[in-house]
Amino acid sequence: QVPVVESGGGLVQPGGSLRLSCATSERGFSIYAMGWHRQVPGKQREAVARIEVGGATTVADSLKGRFTISRENAKNTDTVYLYLQMNNLKPEDTALYYCVVVQHGMEYWGQGTQVTVSS
């Protein structure tokens, strides 16, 4: 089982910023892609952003300009970090944010981190 652990969620006022983090391991097999999805109760999970093994990134059209995805390989370990920088947050960004890791043909999901945007 590949560990996928999100952190960084919380309560923020509209217009504020948050940076979500996701930690996983690249032990054994290289990571093909990583991404962020979000889900609001009663609605389908939606893709937020994705980063491929070569570094190419994709952000949902509706979030471009506000959300940025990035990846960092920890030095001297097999730990890989995925980040989601979210700026100018809006109440409609409130959701449970999930990290997904695509490795060896499988998808591994974290438990999610809650982001609430409210005044």
Side-chain angles (χ1 to χ4, degrees), residues 4 6 13 15 18 26 29-30 35 40 43 48 55 61-62 65 67 70 75 87 91 105 108 111 115:
V4 181
E6 304 99 334
Q13 291 187 343
L18 277 178
E26 201 164 29
F29 299 100
S30 295
V40 175
K43 294 188 177 181
V48 172
D61 287 342
S62 62
F67 286 22
S70 61
K75 293 182 180 178
N87 298 327
Y108 300 93
Q111 294 299 308
V115 172

Side-chain angles (χ1 to χ4, degrees), residues 63-93:
L63 302 176
K64 287 179 180 177
R66 296 195 298 121
F67 286 22
T68 303
I69 188 171
S70 61
R71 167 182 167 163
E72 177 185 4
N73 288 15
K75 293 182 180 178
N76 301 320
T77 75
D78 55 16
T79 301
V80 178
Y81 296 100
L82 180 71
Y83 302 108
L84 183 68
Q85 178 66 44
M86 305 184 293
N87 298 327
N88 190 22
L89 283 161
K90 304 176 180 181
E92 52 263 41
D93 295 319

